[in-house]
């Protein structure tokens, strides 16, 4: 394998966390690895709601932290919630200074939306549902104009070079249909900021490439993984047959839209006191139950928004238009879809993983902020906070050196995942590791994942996917209770003692063949 050594810090990913981290590191030389052109393949660009931050006078970081802890169903690290919410407003101001055009009132204040399980309207937004796209636009423009940042587009990270205790390089290949032979990049340090795992499911709101590969490569290198079983299903993906499914932002419900079924009946009021604004796990299960009962669930914006939905929520309007839905006069069909992975590579308060030389931020990490059920719009906030924390730590730990621009050699074709196997993996995860789970289904999923893994053992991309799928499924089998987004029909009760889960890939594989040997 060819090797390239650089004095740059290597950032894997091109979403909000990756771009913000690169800017926080400036003028320290950075190499940013992106499989797609900047802005086109990251979940951040699709985020509709915005960033949660206590900016209103009546609100406070303490109230934001309490809401985060309540939504997380007992497994949120209170210290993490307190410090993240305290820092939130500073990052909104930083994004504003980078050129993000947040919605502002006539007096210059930030316009705030209210989303599920928030006690205040505290989600800073852009044009109703354009926050992710606008934040990414501003950051990409700033990155393009920052000389210290080199962006390698069309390049995919596929593995980490590690002795089990320390990461010393990133294995990359060309992100093209035929793949390529790998190249080993060795830099001053590695920050993983490459997204979550939603695309491991057949019904998801995540971009096509977001299929757990970053978590998987860290796990294969020996990193400790936390809270892998907690996958959040967004209750209101637009049920129109698109893959990935477009999102009907939670802000619509915050603006008064109601959930109804095919008989025109509202059903959330009898499920939870907050009705449509209940925590996401509760709404997702209610949506799923309606679907299972053959009563197609729908989001009704007609009375609450009327024609305003078209102007105020352009992403939703465009998705509806593509699929022949007029939300002014018709309710929008919805379904629960894999949306956000609360689990990921376990990190400390500085974004450090269990492996020296490896930092992680964004959805690929598990910091202890989200617990068993992420509070709406805390995802982008976590990415911002830990991108800055990780980079501050890296500036102290990673030796600075002069460096040239990295140029890749010509590479022959390689091996890419068999799409039939990927489809089988996604279908398996949706069928057995989805909104509702039980031991029989989870064991069946583990066996199927092992077969998929064995069918293409030399394909690094597929091995990364199956590693993450194995961790999610094994952790779900080990947690014999229902908590937050993790719902076991065979263990419906929540245990009195709440605890986070920690698992290595080796442990998950060890009891894949003997599921009675559950990890402690």
């Amino acid at each position: 394998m060819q090797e390239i050594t650089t004095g740059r810090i290597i950032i894997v990913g091109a979403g909000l966390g990756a771009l913000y981290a690169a800017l926080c590191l400036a003028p320290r030389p950075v190499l940013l690895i992106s499989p797609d052109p900047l802005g086109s393949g990251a979940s951040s660009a699709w985020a509709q709601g915005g960033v949660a931050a206590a900016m209103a006078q009546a609100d406070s970081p303490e109230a934001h932290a309490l809401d985060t802890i309540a939504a997380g169903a007992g497994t949120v690290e209170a210290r993490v919630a307190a410090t993240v919410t305290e820092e939130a407003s500073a990052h909104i101001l930083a994004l504003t200074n980078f050129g993000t055009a947040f919605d502002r009132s006539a007096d210059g204040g930030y316009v705030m939306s209210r989303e599920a399980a928030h006690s205040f309207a505290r989600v800073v937004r852009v044009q109703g549902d354009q926050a992710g796209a606008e934040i990414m636009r501003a950051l990409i423009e700033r990155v393009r104009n920052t000389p210290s940042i080199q962006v390698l587009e069309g390049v995919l990270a596929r593995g980490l070079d590690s002795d089990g205790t320390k990461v010393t390089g990133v294995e990359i290949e060309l992100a093209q249909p035929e793949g390529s032979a790998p190249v080993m990049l060795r830099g001053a340090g590695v920050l993983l900021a490459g997204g979550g795992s939603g695309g491991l499911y057949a019904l998801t709101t995540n971009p096509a490439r977001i299929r757990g590969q970053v978590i998987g490569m860290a796990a294969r290198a020996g990193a400790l993984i936390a809270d892998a079983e907690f996958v959040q299903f967004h209750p209101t993906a637009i049920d129109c047959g698109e893959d990935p499914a477009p999102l009907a932002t939670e802000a619509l419900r915050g603006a008064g839209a109601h959930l109804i079924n095919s008989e025109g009946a509202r059903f959330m009021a009898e499920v939870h006191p907050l009705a449509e604004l209940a925590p996401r796990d509760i709404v997702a299960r209610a949506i799923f139950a309606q679907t299972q009962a053959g009563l197609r669930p729908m989001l009704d914006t007609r009375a609450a928004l009327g024609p305003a939905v078209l102007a105020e929520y352009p992403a939703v309007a465009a998705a509806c238009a593509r699929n022949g839905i007029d939300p002014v006069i018709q309710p929008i069909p919805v379904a629960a879809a894999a949306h956000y992975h609360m689990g990921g590579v376990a990190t400390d308060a500085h974004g450090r993983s269990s492996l020296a030389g490896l930092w992680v931020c964004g959805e690929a990490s598990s910091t202890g902020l989200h617990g068993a059920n992420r509070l709406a719009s805390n995802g982008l906030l976590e990415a911002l906070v830990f991108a800055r924390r990780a980079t501050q730590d890296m500036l102290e730990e990673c030796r600075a050196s002069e460096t040239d621009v990295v140029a890749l050699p010509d590479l022959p074709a390689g091996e890419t995942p068999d799409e039939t196997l990927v489809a089988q993996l996604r279908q398996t995860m949706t069928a057995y590791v989805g909104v509702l789970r039980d031991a029989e289904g989870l064991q069946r999923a583990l066996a199927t994942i092992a077969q998929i893994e064995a069918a293409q053992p030399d394909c690094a991309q597929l091995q990364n996917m199956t590693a993450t799928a194995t961790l999610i499924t094994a952790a779900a089998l080990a947690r014999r209770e229902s908590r937050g987004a993790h719902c076991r029909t065979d263990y419906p009760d929540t245990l009195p003692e709440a605890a986070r889960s920690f698992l290595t890939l080796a442990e998950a594989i060890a009891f894949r063949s003997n599921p009675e040997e559950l990890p402690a």
Side-chain angles (χ1 to χ4, degrees):
M1 184 188 305
Q2 297 188 60
E3 291 195 8
I4 298 174
T5 300
T6 174
R8 295 175 183 267
I9 288 174
I10 300 170
I11 299 178
V12 175
L16 174 68
L19 298 175
Y20 195 64
L23 292 169
C24 289
L25 284 167
R28 177 68 192 272
V30 166
L31 181 64
L32 192 73
I33 297 171
S34 174
D36 301 295
L38 290 187
S40 64
S43 295
S44 303
W46 294 14
Q48 293 183 357
V51 185
M55 306 287 285
Q57 186 172 0
D59 199 1
S60 69
E62 292 77 17
H64 186 180
L66 288 174
D67 287 346
T68 298
I69 292 167
T75 57
V76 171
E77 299 280 357
R79 173 186 53 80
V80 175
T83 57
V84 168
T85 55
E86 181 66 37
E87 293 178 29
S89 60
H91 293 284
I92 298 301
L93 297 176
L95 290 178
T96 302
N97 290 335
F98 281 141
T100 304
F102 290 113
D103 291 351
R104 309 293 284 269
S105 59
D107 63 1
Y110 291 87
V111 176
M112 317 293 283
S113 293
R114 185 180 179 190
E115 295 188 356
H118 285 275
S119 55
F120 291 90
R122 66 162 67 94
V123 179
V124 184
R125 70 182 199 185
V126 179
Q127 297 175 38
D129 61 6
Q130 296 294 297
E134 168 58 17
I135 293 169
M136 288 290 286
R137 180 207 61 77
L139 293 183
I140 290 168
E141 182 177 343
R142 184 61 66 99
V143 164
R144 295 287 194 201
N145 291 313
T146 302
S148 60
I149 303 172
Q150 180 189 354
V151 181
L152 272 183
E153 293 172 313
V155 174
L156 182 70
R158 53 177 269 172
L160 298 172
D161 191 24
S162 168
D163 62 3
T165 62
K166 182 179 182 179
V167 168
T168 56
V170 180
E171 191 177 308
I172 63 170
E173 64 179 56
L174 299 180
Q176 55 193 18
E178 65 274 21
S180 79
V183 173
M184 182 63 69
L185 282 178
R186 302 198 185 278
V190 178
L191 173 66
L192 297 182
S197 307
L200 286 174
Y201 289 80
L203 185 57
T204 181
T205 63
N206 286 192
R209 287 195 191 274
I210 308 299
R211 292 178 177 169
Q213 298 97 321
V214 170
I215 295 171
M217 71 175 71
R220 291 174 65 210
L224 184 65
I225 307 301
D227 299 337
E229 67 272 34
F230 295 124
V231 177
Q232 186 172 72
F233 296 86
H234 198 291
T236 53
I238 300 176
D239 187 15
C240 60
E242 289 188 17
D243 180 23
L247 193 63
T249 174
E250 204 160 83
L252 292 166
R253 283 175 279 142
H258 294 151
L259 287 165
I260 62 173
N261 61 26
S262 55
E263 296 179 349
R266 291 185 63 183
F267 53 86
M268 279 308 304
E270 62 189 35
V271 174
H272 193 276
L274 292 176
E276 280 80 5
L277 293 179
R280 280 184 176 176
D281 62 309
I282 294 171
V283 182
R285 285 194 288 275
I287 291 280
F288 186 75
Q290 295 290 316
T291 301
Q292 292 295 95
L295 299 170
R296 192 177 196 188
M298 295 175 283
L299 183 65
D300 191 350
T301 66
R302 293 173 295 182
L305 290 161
V309 70
L310 302 179
E312 295 180 13
Y313 300 91
V316 173
C320 287
R322 287 196 307 271
N323 292 282
I325 302 166
D326 184 350
V328 177
I329 61 173
Q330 296 173 284
I332 304 167
V334 294
H339 181 63
Y340 189 93
H341 195 179
M342 278 78 75
V345 183
T347 66
D348 67 7
H350 304 286
R352 295 187 186 188
S353 74
S354 61
L355 301 176
L358 181 67
W359 290 257
V360 192
C361 72
E363 194 174 347
S365 70
S366 182
T367 66
L369 175 66
H370 301 311
N373 192 44
R374 177 183 66 112
L375 183 66
S377 291
N378 266 0
L380 295 183
L381 172 61
E382 181 195 46
L384 293 166
V385 169
F386 279 88
R388 178 175 289 177
R389 289 187 183 182
T391 53
Q392 289 173 339
D393 197 54
M394 295 180 86
L395 286 172
E396 295 180 6
E397 294 292 324
C398 301
R399 182 178 301 174
S401 65
E402 294 297 323
T403 187
D404 295 325
V405 171
V406 173
L408 296 183
D410 292 332
L411 298 169
E415 184 176 14
T416 57
D418 181 330
E419 287 303 318
T420 302
L421 294 175
V422 173
Q424 184 184 8
L425 177 62
R426 298 180 70 199
Q427 290 158 5
T428 298
M429 294 297 288
T430 290
Y432 303 119
V433 202
V435 177
L436 300 179
R437 305 160 173 183
D438 62 31
E440 181 181 357
L442 292 167
Q443 290 171 8
R444 185 175 299 178
L446 282 172
T448 303
I449 294 165
Q451 293 169 359
I452 293 168
E453 187 177 275
Q456 202 176 7
D458 297 324
C459 179
Q461 292 183 45
L462 183 66
Q463 296 298 306
N464 291 333
M465 294 180 206
T466 57
T468 303
T470 297
L471 284 156
I472 294 170
T473 309
L477 186 58
R479 186 173 287 277
R480 291 175 168 173
E481 65 165 346
S482 292
R483 183 180 297 276
H486 169 71
C487 185
R488 288 280 297 264
T489 57
D490 51 350
Y491 290 96
D493 297 331
T494 301
L495 296 176
E497 295 297 323
R500 297 180 66 194
S501 69
F502 296 91
L503 193 64
T504 65
L505 181 58
E507 290 170 335
I509 291 173
F511 84 92
R512 183 166 66 184
S513 57
N514 187 7
E516 291 306 312
E517 296 296 324
L518 297 174

